[in-house]
Amino acid sequence: MIRMSDESKKHIISKYVIKKQKVSTRPVAERIKDFQEVSLGLNKEQAILEANRCLQCPKPKCIVSCPIGIDIPKFIRCIANENFEDAINKIREKNGLADVTGRVCPQEKLCQAACVLANKDVPITIGALERFAADVSIDKEIKALKSNGKKVAVIGSGPAGLTAAVDLAILGYEVTIYEAFHESGGVLTYGIPAFRLPKEVIGKAMRYVKYLGVKIEKNVIIGKSLTLYDLFELGYDCIFIGSGAGSPKFLHILGENLNGVYSANEFLTRCNLMRAYKFPEHSTPVYVGKQVAVIGGGNVAMDSARTALRLGANDVRIVYRRSEKEMPARIEEVKNTKDEGVKFMTLANPLKILGNNQAHVTGLECIRMELGEPDTSGRRRPVEVKGSNFTINVDMVIVAIGQKPNPIISRTTPELKVDKEGYIIVDDRGRTSFEKVWAAGDIVPGPETVIEAMSGAKNAVKDIHLYMKRREEKELVLNPVLAWKF
Amino acid sequence: MTPIIEKKELSLGIKSLTLLSPLISKKSKPGQFVVLRVSEKGERIPLTIADADSKKGTIKIVFQEVGKTTKELGKLAIGDHILDLVGPLGTPSDINLFGRVIVVAGGVGIAEAYPIAKALKKQGNKVVTILGARNKDLLTMTGEMRHVSDDLFITTDDGSVGRKGLVTDQLKELLEKGMNVDRIITIGPAIMMKAVSDITKRFRISTVASLNPIMIDATGMCGACRVSIGGETKFACVDGPEFDAHKVDFDQLLSRLDMYKNSEKISDHKCRLVND
Ligand SMILES: Cc1cc2nc3c(=O)[nH]c(=O)nc-3n(C[C@H](O)[C@H](O)[C@H](O)COP(=O)(O)OP(=O)(O)OC[C@H]3O[C@@H](n4cnc5c(N)ncnc54)[C@H](O)[C@@H]3O)c2cc1C
Ligand SMILES: Cc1cc2nc3c(=O)[nH]c(=O)nc-3n(C[C@H](O)[C@H](O)[C@H](O)COP(=O)(O)OP(=O)(O)OC[C@H]3O[C@@H](n4cnc5c(N)ncnc54)[C@H](O)[C@@H]3O)c2cc1C
Ligand code: SF4
Ligand code: SF4
Ligand code: FES
């Protein structure tokens, strides 16, 4: 038996005495009127207390459950010791987007679910601590990194592209990101609304990327403005594709092209990227109905519903064909959405969108569903209850049932193998079928989260680095003169 | 930032700008377009590439000042810059040897049709062009169009130049006279394209319309531009903008184009209050 000193016993006891620190949110009545962040995060005192609660487990399960393996106890210890600068530096060894992941990672299913204290229902709020470390970090230029003379092109500036760029830059590669839009950030910019992920946060993350020497070329669509072949001709040694799954899925039901029916992508892009909520100061308009139905049960549906509410809708309803338990949205966001007054109509499937003679939506015909046998995803498959059709009055419908990959790149790159839905096929190293081209994030099959996109990108960068080193060695062998020079 | 190196006023409210963009000019093909944003708070709008010179690295856009963004664009001068410019977008026109092709274009659609007519002519087609506008002052690029056409007809609503009437009157006359036509291309206001399509359907002549729905990203990401083609939903920005006119649901296109009419009035009005 191991004897514990009184000192360490006291330490452990005191850890159990500190209460779990609650992350507070802004009052509902106030927050539904604006686009400022809902979650207030932890303040300094809270963060230090929470950090002190961490048991600093010798075999921390939290680390293995973080897809990018952040050294969680170490950075938490830095916060406990009030070395905030060290905390963010520790995190940045693995994660250049702590400002983002601390806010939008499904922590309750990942690091926090694995925390030993989760057994007692008081897991460390790791995400909130990560966010705290990022928020208090000072935004400053860092020393220029030494180039290794190799060039990599990164397509897309979402979490996958940014992570690949950061990791490659740290390894010494000269990185240029090509982004189709006029702003970088991918879904972080055009999808996730400011009340969950403030624009300043993305700006700060983006400055960090630029400090590392990464160049960003906006308004360039790979596959249109430049092809992959052009990129190789421009002298890039490798290409990383992180172009996301940006193409909206529709229901393919009658009435879907009526006015007042939006894809979540369009609605959120108008609001977030084009700032339609500041119309007419910003020129892009958006229509918002009084009675809104949002179809879907993921984060995208929640974000659309809450955005509509903030833009003046009286009555917003989530229409979802399974039950609440199956909803893929983050638990915290489901709660926030409900608190804000969005109604949930579960086990209902839309059949038809009704319109008036001005071709504007007026109603949604649905059918009741019940849960049958589990499907391939393990979730119980919803089946229609015959004859249970009903209609609700709505003047706006937002379709948020998922995205699929945009085919622009694959259509112009025959070498790039894609599956039948258009996802780029990669091996476990992130390699595509096209030599010297890697891909990760939402453009490859798999779960669609920020952290998975980042983890895939990190994996690909490791292999890019290995590949480049091998190629160099081969060149040395094949070219003795060069070898001699070395 | 894209510099403006030439500016012209082609006719009443229709202007052209030549922009220096080597990347886009090199890739551009007839029928393709760009999306641009004039200023930090501006909207993204699609405009057809009316001409491209890959040697000089330039492209030309021709636009009609109809609302806030096109008016802002019209105020820019040589040496000014366009904040964001992206392209070339959309699927290029099908340029083949068809035989005899009639190009029916109206309003600012004339400028949009020019690169297509030019390419068709170069391919060896007989090109017959019918141009229409409300009046003489609104007619553009007739000289350039004449240059690439074997035959050219002009119609104006008020008869101030050419034949008094609509492009469809001229078209109907040619077809009724029994002109042998292999393909028809129509570009212009949706209502005009609908009328053209209705006529050519009767004569069973394969017809292509270049659709102009409201767009945002123009890369297939939002679905704002969706159109019904033979009952199937397509995204005009990536699957088009050209489609088989006989399969297009023009009524839906027309109603979707009106979606933001009221907002646009507010936006344009506010913009004038600020600027004047
Ligand atoms: C509304 C919404 C809410 C979400 N909420 C959460 C959440 O709370 N938590 C979570 O973990 N995940 C969430 N997600 C999912 C998450 O955002 C994505 O999984 C993640 O952004 C994928 O990253 P990515 O880099 O692969 O792609 P994206 O973020 O989609 O970025 C791709 C980028 O590539 C650019 N691009 C595409 N094609 C080209 C081209 N041909 N040339 C140049 N550039 C191109 C795009 O413009 C874009 O900027 C949400 C998604 C949405 C839409
Ligand atoms: C593929 C494509 C190519 C185009 N090429 C050209 C071109 O070469 N030259 C040109 O002048 N215009 C072209 N257009 C139309 C052009 O995009 C619109 O005129 C422009 O968006 C209007 O913007 P605005 O802010 O000035 O006017 P807004 O204030 O947005 O609109 C003013 C009026 O124009 C109507 N309108 C809005 N969008 C469109 C549209 N897409 N098509 C037709 N009417 C519209 C509105 O209903 C309103 O009545 C093209 C459109 C598409 C989709
Ligand atoms: S990145 Fe996500 S999973 Fe990893 S520690 Fe941070 S919040 Fe947890
Ligand atoms: S499992 Fe929980 S308590 Fe243990 S080190 Fe990780 S965060 Fe701390
Ligand atoms: S304009 Fe967005 S999909 Fe076509």
Side-chain angles (χ1 to χ4, degrees), chain A residues 231-342:
Chain A
L231 290 178
F232 281 127
E233 225 156 79
L234 286 172
Y236 290 103
D237 296 285
C238 298
I239 297 173
F240 172 87
I241 307 178
S243 56
S247 187
K249 280 189 190 159
F250 281 95
L251 293 151
H252 302 292
I253 58 175
L254 221 61
E256 211 164 14
N257 294 344
L258 287 165
N259 282 338
V261 182
Y262 282 90
S263 74
N265 273 13
E266 178 184 353
F267 181 61
L268 292 172
T269 301
R270 281 182 183 273
C271 295
N272 299 332
L273 181 73
M274 304 311 297
R275 320 275 195 271
Y277 60 88
K278 291 187 187 156
F279 181 86
E281 184 199 340
H282 287 249
S283 316
T284 305
V286 68
Y287 160 84
V288 179
K290 288 291 159 211
Q291 291 167 296
V292 182
V294 180
I295 300 164
N299 289 318
V300 187
M302 302 302 141
D303 286 343
S304 304
R306 297 168 75 188
T307 301
L309 205 67
R310 280 163 174 74
L311 289 174
N314 294 336
D315 176 47
V316 183
R317 242 175 297 192
I318 294 272
V319 180
Y320 183 55
R321 63 199 180 113
R322 304 183 198 241
S323 74
E324 200 179 311
K325 217 174 80 214
E326 280 84 18
M327 280 190 173
R330 289 192 57 198
I331 299 158
E332 183 189 330
E333 299 308 341
V334 171
K335 181 181 178 303
N336 284 337
T337 307
K338 275 193 175 162
D339 287 350
E340 288 172 9
V342 172

Side-chain angles (χ1 to χ4, degrees), chain A residues 165-176:
Chain A
V166 165
D167 282 16
L168 285 163
I170 290 173
L171 287 168
Y173 292 89
E174 284 173 30
V175 185
T176 306

